[in-house]
Amino acid sequence: MLFDCFCRPVPQPNSGTEATTRKYTLTMPDSLDDLNRRLLTFARERDWEQFHSPKNLSMALAGECGELLEHFQWLSEAQSACLEGDKKGAVGQELADILIYLIRLAERLDIDLIAAAEAKIALNEQRYPVHQVRGDARRAEEYLALDNPTPTQSVLEDDLKSS
């Protein structure tokens, strides 16, 4: 399916006989490698790599995350889930900035983002077993504390149960 920059499907003419039928063809966006090559070319053509140290890129990334947060400040949960028009476009621009800085930072540090994400997901699957965390948003340390309570925690829990 083709998507515009706001994740809406873009109808494509059907190759069938009915003129009113629309077909959606699936095309994947460019890979991270393709984006990385394009961003590297962009920076080199402008002699900007000299400014793209990990420190500078991470600071720029944090700044862009702050700009993203500004769009959601003071919105309700419902409002934040239903962005429209210019607001949604502005959020898309901030997300693009974040992705660009993230890709550049990973390139400068020679980190494979896909491999890193896969490793992190595997770690989180171990830290947050489905049977233990389903529907519960506590941090991993809090689940571990329940499995291995300290003597003080055990006494407090026993006191609460008995009262």
Side-chain angles (χ1 to χ4, degrees), residues 24-80:
Y24 293 92
T25 56
L26 180 62
T27 61
M28 296 303 291
D30 290 337
S31 71
L32 291 182
D33 287 336
D34 291 342
L35 286 172
N36 182 41
R37 280 190 288 278
R38 188 167 176 200
L39 292 168
L40 191 55
T41 298
F42 181 89
R44 286 181 176 166
E45 287 175 346
R46 289 155 181 80
D47 193 24
W48 285 355
E49 275 205 295
Q50 62 182 316
F51 308 117
H52 289 181
S53 67
K55 177 195 77 74
N56 288 347
L57 290 167
S58 62
M59 291 173 68
L61 178 60
E64 294 299 337
C65 289
E67 290 179 23
L68 175 65
L69 289 172
E70 287 177 358
H71 291 286
F72 294 97
Q73 188 175 19
W74 314 122
L75 296 182
S76 68
E77 292 290 327
Q79 290 170 322
S80 71

Side-chain angles (χ1 to χ4, degrees), residues 121-152:
I121 292 168
L123 176 64
N124 284 341
E125 287 171 340
Q126 292 175 0
R127 292 177 73 200
Y128 299 98
V130 173
H131 72 278
Q132 191 174 12
V133 303
R134 185 168 176 79
D136 193 341
R138 286 178 286 169
R139 297 192 47 82
E141 296 78 23
E142 295 174 270
Y143 294 109
L144 294 174
L146 292 177
D147 288 343
N148 303 309
T150 64
T152 305

Side-chain angles (χ1 to χ4, degrees), residues 61-131:
L61 178 60
E64 294 299 337
C65 289
E67 290 179 23
L68 175 65
L69 289 172
E70 287 177 358
H71 291 286
F72 294 97
Q73 188 175 19
W74 314 122
L75 296 182
S76 68
E77 292 290 327
Q79 290 170 322
S80 71
C82 298
L83 302 178
E84 294 182 7
D86 291 343
K87 182 70 139 182
K88 189 170 186 174
V91 167
Q93 292 293 310
E94 299 305 340
L95 289 171
D97 287 337
I98 290 167
L99 180 61
I100 286 167
Y101 282 124
L102 183 62
I103 291 170
R104 288 295 295 140
L105 180 59
E107 187 272 330
R108 297 303 290 200
L109 295 172
D110 195 27
I111 294 173
D112 179 334
L113 284 172
I114 300 298
E118 292 287 349
K120 184 64 177 187
I121 292 168
L123 176 64
N124 284 341
E125 287 171 340
Q126 292 175 0
R127 292 177 73 200
Y128 299 98
V130 173
H131 72 278

